[in-house]
Amino acid sequence: MSPLSRQSKSTKSRISKSDSNVKKGSTRRRTRTVNSGIDSTVATRVDSAQSPKSNSKFSNPSIISNANVSSQPGWVKFSDEKLLDLRICDLELKLEDTAMVEYRDRLYAELKDRNLRVRPHCWLSDDWFSPDDVPGIAIPFYMAHRRLMRLERSQMLEVEGGTKEWCMRIMRHEAGHSIDTAFRLHRRKGYKAMFGNYSDPYPETYRPRPRSKKFVLHLEPWYAQSHPAEDFAETFAVWLKPKSRWRKEYDGWAALKKIEFVDQLMERIGGQRPKQTSRAKIDPVHRINKTLREHYAERHALYSLNAPSVFDPDLKKLFTTERPASGSKTAAAFLQKNRVDLCKTIARWTGEYRYNINQVIREMIERCRLMKLYVAGDESDIKQDLLLMMTVHTMNYLHAGHRVAL
């Protein structure tokens, strides 16, 4: 999760300050993104009356099942409090016993179809990441079981990679890092000229340019703008997606040159053996001795989960913290239900990209969940007030140079 208002974070293929136990000098480049609820293939210009593209897999998330699990572990029936006291290593998780094997194999098939001989090995760890010196992909432990996904959602408000579409977006992104590492692509002059200096330090935060057409739109929020390594990985992911219409979708964008560069580069290395073939597994789950409670305490501190947002005062005026009679809606559910209409209307009056407006809506939904706000009063009146409030915040948010915490 990558709330846009947080100021103390390091992450979704970023270098983590807390990873002091990384072996052999490998640096963990962690990837953290958000799920918008609206297809983010390419932002559509919003002076159109058409509604934004919607992906049903996002709008109605289909959480990855545990179809491959032959027997359920005892901790499945534990309460959250009891589960939090378990050490991660004591969960006794194995990737081969999970549905993630299907998504790994799907990634392998996509790479094979592109004549790329790299097959990034995958393992379960405590986050999504790809080490600098290892052409592999670490998958967070919660992806191994529905019960752990529910715990993740209760602790972090969302499950990163928790839908089929979102999971494959991240897998393709991490594959970009793996390909980069396997062939040491970042050492090539063309790479540096196109994406920038791979060795640049990862910032604590980055200031995205929402209207920029120099970067692809794949993982949110504007993740390609965070660092040259992420720019390459995001561009690779757009290129790798099956049946991608990137030439048409990015026509007129400066980012098109980057995708064409990746297309040409992949053609050159197609069929070649990788130079870096390490099969090391950094921070595998069976070596992580901290408890789930300790793990989430670190996450909460890292992402300033309880830090106030600029939206909070207005959201509290519009909604209530007192739970009304049974059957009432949560403010988060109300926002989610009206998300597309609000996005379209604000876009029409402001001329802003739907993709950008959706970032504001997404954080408001998250803040409503965190503050446990409810709808009280006439919904049509609330929607009108919400529209005015969101329009003001959208313009302030996007044009004041808002920073995104890594």
Side-chain angles (χ1 to χ4, degrees), residues 155-185:
Q155 292 291 317
M156 303 301 294
L157 305 180
E158 67 181 350
V159 180
E160 186 181 15
T163 68
K164 296 176 181 179
E165 176 69 16
W166 196 2
C167 179
M168 286 309 301
R169 282 176 180 267
I170 297 176
M171 292 290 281
R172 294 184 190 109
H173 172 97
E174 300 297 0
H177 287 304
S178 297
I179 292 289
D180 189 349
T181 297
F183 290 96
R184 300 172 182 144
L185 300 178

Side-chain angles (χ1 to χ4, degrees), residues 318-332:
L318 196 58
F319 302 107
T320 179
T321 56
E322 296 182 7
R323 187 167 189 168
S326 60
S328 60
K329 294 180 182 178
T330 64

